[in-house]
Amino acid sequence: NEMKGEINRINQVLRDTMRKDPTPIVRYWIRSVISQFDHYKAEHILLLKEATTLLELALWKANLGDNEGGVIEREGVRT
């Protein structure tokens, strides 16, 4: 939704500046969009790292639960 707003904003700016050279305005807009993408990308990476950690902990806990009864599985063989 934010990106749609950005696209609408540059379309409006371009209409308003058609008498001038729009190149600097478009360059500024592209830089701001790239900056937003970088921000969202960094935020996404942090969320993925957190989710990966939670998944690893859940799998570790589930593995401990499987081995609590004194039964240890190794390569499909129960001892």
Side-chain angles (χ1 to χ4, degrees):
N1 292 338
E2 277 186 54
M3 292 313 296
K4 285 183 183 179
E6 283 296 316
I7 291 168
N8 289 336
R9 184 174 68 85
I10 193 62
N11 286 337
Q12 182 62 42
V13 167
L14 288 175
R15 275 189 291 255
D16 294 344
T17 60
M18 287 312 286
R19 289 180 223 121
K20 301 177 189 176
D21 178 21
T23 304
I25 294 167
V26 172
R27 283 186 180 150
Y28 176 79
W29 178 78
I30 289 173
R31 286 186 190 113
S32 71
V33 169
I34 290 171
S35 176
Q36 286 179 349
F37 277 132
D38 289 342
H39 169 75
Y40 291 131
K41 181 180 173 184
E43 196 172 296
H44 183 72
I45 288 170
L46 289 175
L47 291 173
L48 284 175
K49 285 182 180 181
E50 182 180 345
T52 301
T53 300
L54 290 173
L55 179 60
E56 287 174 348
L57 289 172
L59 291 171
W60 181 73
K61 184 177 178 181
N63 190 31
L64 284 179
D66 288 346
N67 293 330
E68 278 184 4
V71 177
I72 300 174
E73 288 187 43
R74 291 189 186 201
E75 300 177 350
V77 178
R78 290 182 177 240
T79 59

